[in-house]
Amino acid sequence: MSVSRSSTLDHSSSLTSAADEQGAPPHAYDTGLLLLRLALGLTMAGHGAQKLFGWFSGPGLDGTGTFFTSVGYPAGKTMAVVDGLSELLGGLGVALGLLTPLAGAAVVGVMINAMAVKWGGGFFVPTGVEYELTLAVAAAALALTGPGRLAVDRHLPGVRAHRVVHGLAAIALGVVVAAVVLLVRH
């Protein structure tokens, strides 16, 4: 198999090799990543809109701020804005495949804090962390794999070539920021 110059700009050459071995066309991988990005990203963006604007029967900034204060975060309304923006913008970035490692890191950071708040309630519903953990792992996976070819990142010269190191650095950033936020929690 010959590798063209354009396939060296992203991870598609490795996907093509995998596709040849497994019998699936490379566009199947891109379509699967798009489906995952849309489900995760729009879910997160919807959660952010609930917190920021009260859309979709959400609590809005006042209700979310009160909740953050009740679970030990200082400046509850400020934390509600930070959380809501992280969910909304991170979710939209994931859905669009725009700055995917950073968008995924925003979701990871928010979900780490959500798991910390719910910790101690077991793994499964009604008080478990399985939902938050699944969202965090999906976001981390997208940060590591890249968004696929059906993404805005594909058209941005600086981020067109996805590198695992970018995903790892972004996830590390998300974890560190989440830890800092948790340190200010009472």
Side-chain angles (χ1 to χ4, degrees), residues 44-176:
M44 291 307 302
H47 278 273
Q50 284 182 305
K51 292 173 180 168
L52 291 171
F53 312 119
W55 295 356
F56 313 116
S57 302
L61 279 177
D62 290 333
T64 304
T66 300
F67 170 77
F68 273 105
T69 300
S70 75
V71 294
Y73 289 93
K77 196 165 184 177
T78 301
M79 293 304 296
V81 170
V82 169
D83 179 67
L85 285 173
S86 296
E87 289 183 4
L88 179 66
L89 298 177
L92 290 175
V94 166
L96 293 170
L98 176 62
L99 304 175
T100 305
L102 291 175
V107 173
V108 168
V110 166
M111 291 299 103
I112 288 172
N113 272 270
M115 286 185 282
V117 168
K118 291 180 74 177
W119 200 255
F123 186 74
F124 293 108
V125 296
T127 57
V129 296
E130 83 285 356
Y131 176 69
E132 292 82 1
L133 180 63
T134 300
L135 294 176
V137 169
L142 285 169
L144 292 172
T145 63
R149 289 181 283 188
L150 303 173
V152 174
D153 282 353
R154 173 92 167 134
H155 305 287
L156 300 176
V159 295
R160 183 178 313 160
H162 181 80
R163 305 273 189 271
V164 171
V165 71
H166 297 149
L168 289 171
I171 292 168
L173 176 65
V175 169
V176 167

